[in-house]
Amino acid sequence: MATEETAGGARKATKSKLFEFLVHGVRPGMPSGARMPHQGAPMGPPGPPYGGSPAVRPGLPSPVMEPSRKRPAPSQQVQQQQQQQQQQQQQAVQNRARKKPVGFPGANEMPARQMDMREPQSDPTLGSNAKRRKMADKILPQRIRELVPESQAYMDLLAFERKLDQTIMRKRVDIQEALKRPMKQQKRKLRLYISNTFNPARPDADDSDGSIASWELRVEGKLLDDPGKQKKKFSSFFKSLVIELDKDLYGPDNHLVEWHRTATTQETDGFQVKRPGDVSVRCTLLLMLDYQPPQFKLDPRLARLLGIHTQTRSCIIQALWQYVKTNKLQDSHDKEYINCDKYFQQIFDCPRLKFSEIPQRLTNLLLPPDPIVINHVISVDPNDQKKTACYDIDVEVEDPLKSQMSSFLLSTANQQEIASLDNKIHETIESINQLKIQRDFMLSFSRDPKGYIQDWLKSQSRDLKLMTDVVGNPEEERRAAFYHEPWSQEAVSRYFYCKIQQRRQELEQALAVRNT
């Protein structure tokens, strides 16, 4: 958990410093309330950058071109589709115009049509197709860094953040790989408490329970020196618990008290048994530990051979392989086979076998582990003060580091705050870039106002032609000299010829209808 808090706190602190530097100009190490001095010319008026507006002149309505200047449509359906597309484009232009004031793109800036493609997340017409923010979007352009040398502190923080993210990601991958491998179980002491109380009979009792003497047996326990924050329940260490009472006192049908783990079992901190009786009772407790992974008791012959009494299946197979290598039982010609010695022949009942057959042959040689047997006397003597017995049992528990590693991978602490700071950093960088465009516009306009306006008019004219799908040059067609060119006579002749042919077809169709 310390690793998780440290990593999350470091990332959050880095994001906070980045955002604080961008917004307030506070460098790391500067006193509270201090600000960086600004150098160079002013960055221009606040607001979106000039040049991001649609290619429409200020104060003029959307132009409507004559039908003769449009490209002829091949069919009425295609013409309707083109009209729908033009309406969608005009709607998009109006949406952008509400959001951005009309401005003038710089002479060296790209057209408004291309600039809109650079800002898809601010365009409401794109919806869910907005581009995903990337690390590169947080980098200040070189020209801004040259203009404001103090911005190098922000780039240093950005580089530190990148290294920190890489380190955290590498550690997460290492933890994931470590969790895939089986971790060694730790042996701990489980202290078992067995106690009983005696309730003598009361002749003046109203209920039937008080008028009969009874005793109550309690079986409880706890893990010694448990460092985990979540304490494990007592019943979670056992697969089953059986309390066997004196058969002569309670009969063959009522002398056993059993508890067995099921898929829906709710864990508890102890067990309680209550029975009527006014004499001391001998009982036997059988506790079956819940081994994870499962363990097995070996056949006596195999146990003597390997020196193992109870162990997991994988450890037993590993011990068998070690025995084969130590006694050189592997066949020298065919490594797949094992030449059994006299002990293996007694256990597996064959002179030669494949090592891959051993797991299957072990099935008949592995038995359930022995239960823990505790003999206890339930005393009803009021003078007997020693009514609580304590036993220490060795149990295996998983390494607490595993749960901490899992919680670190699944933790989402500080993620929302980090994402919020990331969004603020991206928005601030976008604002800085917009202010840089405004500054460039002001500087370019102040150097050569006339040439700049001319370049801007040319750019707007090109954009207007692209948006309205115009053929030809409307500016030249607006002048009278355009129609005194040598081609004008032929164009007029072709125009009248087309009109005559069109009228002739209409007359022929009318005469054909009348004759029929």
Side-chain angles (χ1 to χ4, degrees):
M1 298 300 292
T3 305
E4 174 189 349
E5 295 175 359
T6 303
R11 289 194 65 193
K12 185 169 67 175
T14 305
K15 300 285 187 186
S16 301
K17 289 181 180 179
L18 287 171
F19 179 68
E20 186 177 354
F21 174 80
L22 287 174
V23 176
H24 304 297
V26 178
R27 295 187 63 177
M30 294 181 63
S32 179
R35 296 291 184 269
M36 278 190 186
H38 294 284
Q39 297 181 2
M43 298 296 287
Y50 292 101
S53 59
V56 181
R57 295 185 182 181
L60 292 179
S62 300
V64 179
M65 306 304 295
E66 298 179 1
S68 60
R69 293 182 180 177
K70 299 283 184 178
R71 290 194 182 99
S75 63
Q76 184 177 3
Q77 183 178 4
V78 176
Q79 187 175 3
Q80 293 177 356
Q81 294 178 356
Q82 290 180 353
Q83 292 177 356
Q84 293 177 358
Q85 292 177 359
Q86 292 175 5
Q87 293 176 359
Q88 292 176 359
Q89 290 179 356
Q90 292 177 359
Q91 184 66 27
V93 167
Q94 293 175 3
N95 291 336
R96 296 191 190 101
R98 295 191 200 104
K99 192 168 184 179
K100 299 182 180 181
V102 178
F104 306 92
N108 297 326
E109 302 294 333
M110 64 176 60
R113 188 182 183 90
Q114 298 179 4
M115 291 184 64
D116 290 340
M117 296 177 65
R118 295 173 57 192
E119 302 173 348
Q121 58 266 49
S122 63
D123 192 344
T125 61
L126 296 179
S128 60
N129 295 326
K131 71 173 184 179
R132 183 182 178 184
R133 299 182 186 271
K134 298 180 181 179
M135 185 69 179
D137 297 337
K138 298 194 293 186
I139 298 177
L140 286 173
Q142 182 65 30
R143 296 184 62 183
I144 296 179
R145 281 180 275 169
E146 294 173 355
L147 188 64
V148 185
E150 290 83 359
S151 61
Q152 185 60 37
Y154 167 76
M155 298 303 296
D156 294 340
L157 283 173
L158 203 61
F160 175 76
E161 180 199 8
R162 189 181 299 109
K163 291 181 180 179
L164 182 62
D165 289 342
Q166 292 174 355
T167 303
I168 294 175
M169 183 59 64
R170 185 170 61 252
K171 292 299 180 183
R172 291 179 69 90
V173 173
D174 293 342
I175 291 174
Q176 290 175 354
E177 294 298 327
L179 290 176
K180 291 179 182 178
R181 297 189 295 268
M183 301 185 70
K184 187 177 180 181
Q185 300 281 337
Q186 293 185 346
K187 286 192 175 183
R188 307 293 298 277
K189 291 289 185 181
L190 177 66
R191 180 153 294 176
L192 187 67
Y193 301 95
I194 303 177
S195 61
N196 68 275
T197 57
F198 175 66
N199 301 316
R202 291 179 296 174
D204 55 345
D206 297 334
D207 55 349
S208 59
D209 293 340
S211 61
I212 301 175
S214 62
W215 52 261
E216 185 176 298
L217 177 67
R218 292 177 177 271
V219 182
E220 302 169 319
K222 66 177 182 178
L223 198 64
L224 299 181
D225 302 329
D226 188 4
K229 293 184 178 180
Q230 295 183 353
K231 304 294 184 181
K232 294 189 67 175
K233 299 286 188 179
F234 171 71
S235 61
S236 63
F237 294 98
F238 300 97
K239 186 182 295 184
S240 64
L241 171 66
V242 178
I243 302 176
E244 184 178 355
L245 303 176
D246 192 344
K247 187 183 297 186
D248 296 334
L249 291 177
Y250 294 97
D253 297 333
N254 198 30
H255 75 291
L256 290 179
V257 180
E258 301 183 56
W259 173 85
H260 299 279
R261 175 182 298 281
T262 62
T264 58
T265 299
Q266 293 185 355
E267 307 297 346
T268 179
D269 285 325
F271 301 94
Q272 179 179 330
V273 178
K274 187 176 182 180
R275 289 290 186 273
D278 54 359
V279 296
S280 298
V281 181
R282 292 183 177 274
C283 65
T284 303
L285 284 76
L286 305 176
L287 298 97
M288 182 68 70
L289 289 174
D290 186 17
Y291 295 102
Q292 295 295 336
Q295 295 188 8
F296 302 92
K297 176 185 174 183
L298 277 70
D299 182 89
R301 296 171 298 174
L302 186 60
R304 287 194 300 270
L305 181 66
L306 301 179
I308 299 176
H309 183 267
T310 304
Q311 195 52 264
T312 61
R313 182 185 289 269
S314 59
C315 292
I316 296 171
I317 295 177
Q318 185 177 1
L320 282 171
W321 175 244
Q322 188 64 36
Y323 179 84
V324 169
K325 291 197 301 180
T326 303
N327 295 274
K328 300 179 181 180
L329 301 181
Q330 193 172 14
D331 195 298
S332 58
H333 300 288
D334 193 349
K335 300 293 184 180
E336 187 179 359
Y337 282 88
I338 296 173
N339 298 320
C340 299
D341 58 3
K342 61 179 181 179
Y343 303 108
F344 264 38
Q345 291 183 13
Q346 294 176 2
I347 296 172
F348 296 110
D349 195 20
C350 63
R352 193 166 180 260
L353 78 160
K354 291 182 178 181
F355 190 82
S356 57
E357 298 175 1
I358 289 182
Q360 183 179 359
R361 291 176 177 268
L362 276 178
T363 304
N364 299 326
L365 300 173
L366 300 181
L367 307 173
D370 294 332
I372 299 173
V373 181
I374 299 176
N375 296 314
H376 182 73
V377 177
I378 303 174
S379 176
V380 297
D381 186 2
N383 299 322
D384 188 5
Q385 299 298 326
K386 298 181 180 179
K387 295 180 180 179
T388 302
C390 297
Y391 302 90
D392 285 345
I393 303 173
D394 290 330
V395 295
E396 292 184 350
V397 297
E398 66 178 13
D399 194 342
L401 182 61
K402 183 178 181 180
S403 60
Q404 295 179 7
M405 294 163 67
S406 301
S407 62
F408 172 74
L409 294 178
L410 300 176
S411 174
T412 57
N414 301 323
Q415 292 295 327
Q416 187 173 2
E417 188 172 357
I418 290 173
S420 175
L421 290 172
D422 264 337
N423 290 333
K424 290 181 180 179
I425 291 172
H426 281 99
E427 292 172 359
T428 307
I429 292 294
E430 290 178 0
S431 176
I432 291 175
N433 292 330
Q434 292 172 0
L435 293 174
K436 176 64 171 58
I437 295 174
Q438 292 181 19
R439 181 181 181 277
D440 292 342
F441 158 73
M442 294 295 185
L443 291 176
S444 301
F445 184 73
S446 63
R447 293 191 190 102
D448 185 12
K450 179 180 178 181
Y452 191 80
I453 292 296
Q454 290 178 352
D455 294 337
W456 171 76
L457 290 176
K458 293 178 181 179
S459 175
Q460 295 293 300
S461 177
R462 289 194 301 267
D463 294 339
L464 184 61
K465 289 175 62 177
L466 290 173
M467 296 177 62
T468 55
D469 199 19
V470 176
V471 179
N473 192 340
E475 184 64 24
E476 294 180 0
E477 295 175 7
R478 190 170 61 87
R479 303 179 184 277
F482 177 77
Y483 298 97
H484 293 283
E485 297 290 336
W487 55 266
S488 60
Q489 187 65 31
E490 182 181 358
V492 171
S493 301
R494 287 176 176 269
Y495 175 78
F496 282 114
Y497 176 78
C498 292
K499 287 293 183 181
I500 292 172
Q501 293 294 330
Q502 181 180 1
R503 184 60 179 167
R504 180 179 180 180
Q505 291 177 0
E506 293 175 357
L507 290 174
E508 289 178 351
Q509 291 177 359
L511 290 174
V513 170
R514 184 177 299 176
N515 293 332
T516 57

